[in-house]
Amino acid sequence: MKLSLYIATTLALTSGAAWADGEHAHAVTQDGAILSDADPSKIASFDILGAHAHRKGNVVTFHMTTNGVAGFDLPATTGALGGAEVLSYVWPTSLDPSAVDFEGGTGILALAATSHPDFDDTPLYDENNDGDPANDGVIWHSHWVVLTPTEACGPGALAVRDIPDGETPRMPATWPGLPIFLDSPGFTPLFDGPEIAVNVAFGHDVELEGVAYDGVTSALRVNANIHAPLLCVVDVFDIASGDLSLPGKLK
């Protein structure tokens, strides 16, 4: 199946999908959602109108509603890992990275849904069901990442935290082996027109009451030298709160 047809089929099948708990709704209609005004100067699919997260036990559903069709725009293919572009929908949280088995106290733990056609960082999963788990990077998929301020990426810029040579910090069991604080947990992003949502399971020992969150859309880029810093945030399209203050709270 050709990739374009696969993507179109995926978006069509997930559009209007019903949630088992009956709580499916656009983020802008959810009580406590972080709301953001439409901005016609921004790319519509990354122009955030609302971000919200709600939980049922140890399962949290992260929502984001955009001013366009979520997931419609994909990165350009460069043909190489060095300089590869990544597009993302991101939910930064106040959770310590140890909540998902990273080394604790190492930065901002964020859930991200990403697309990047030039490399595949989910070696355990075959997202396009073609029998090859190493060619699916363009299909939207989920990550846990730990973000840290990284001046080498630019003044005030963030990057996915690097793992220096010789260091072996704690990593989740589904860490794909890249020398950065990135996990590939296999939670499938679901699309419904302007909305993207991701269902995430946490360990029962993780305290989720009152966890703070925000919503961000951004672009990242792999360093052309494929060296530290490996993966920089190079453009922020929108921030639901406007200032990354994490005003959302899990109840």
Side-chain angles (χ1 to χ4, degrees):
M1 180 182 292
K2 292 188 181 296
L3 182 59
S4 58
L5 177 58
Y6 177 84
I7 294 170
T9 302
T10 300
L11 289 172
L13 289 175
T14 56
S15 178
W19 292 81
D21 62 9
E23 294 179 328
H24 175 51
H26 294 317
V28 293
T29 69
Q30 294 278 4
D31 183 35
I34 309 166
L35 302 181
S36 179
D37 291 335
D39 184 344
S41 71
K42 296 176 180 176
I43 301 169
S45 62
F46 295 112
D47 181 15
I48 301 173
L49 299 183
H52 184 262
H54 64 82
R55 72 185 182 102
K56 187 174 184 179
N58 69 320
V59 176
V60 177
T61 301
F62 291 88
H63 298 265
M64 196 179 298
T65 301
T66 70
N67 196 30
V69 177
F72 177 79
D73 290 283
L74 300 173
T77 301
T78 66
L81 175 59
E85 301 286 342
V86 179
L87 293 178
S88 63
Y89 298 88
V90 186
W91 294 264
T93 77
S94 63
L95 283 165
D96 187 83
S98 61
V100 296
D101 290 331
F102 287 111
E103 192 76 29
T106 48
I108 302 167
L109 180 66
L111 177 70
T114 70
S115 172
H116 41 76
D118 291 302
F119 64 100
D120 191 322
D121 52 12
T122 59
L124 299 178
Y125 311 105
D126 179 16
E127 286 91 345
N128 64 6
N129 297 310
D130 70 346
D132 182 357
N135 65 353
D136 314 309
V138 70
I139 307 301
W140 290 97
H141 55 280
S142 65
H143 291 296
W144 283 116
V145 295
V146 177
L147 301 170
T148 56
T150 307
E151 289 298 308
C153 294
L158 294 171
V160 179
R161 187 182 185 98
D162 282 292
I163 301 174
D165 289 342
E167 294 190 10
T168 55
R170 182 182 180 186
M171 289 286 118
T174 46
W175 171 57
L178 294 170
I180 51 177
F181 279 60
L182 177 143
D183 183 34
S184 301
F187 306 128
T188 302
L190 299 175
F191 293 91
D192 182 4
E195 185 176 15
I196 176 175
V198 186
N199 285 322
V200 174
F202 290 90
H204 288 283
D205 59 339
V206 177
E207 178 55 56
L208 295 171
E209 183 76 24
V211 167
Y213 64 87
D214 212 325
V216 177
T217 52
S218 63
L220 300 90
R221 183 179 299 123
V222 176
N223 191 317
N225 295 323
I226 316 177
H227 192 63
L230 179 62
L231 188 56
C232 293
V233 177
V234 295
D235 198 359
V236 175
F237 303 128
D238 202 3
I239 302 173
S241 67
D243 56 7
L244 206 59
S245 56
L246 277 65
K249 296 292 186 293
L250 275 178
K251 299 179 180 179

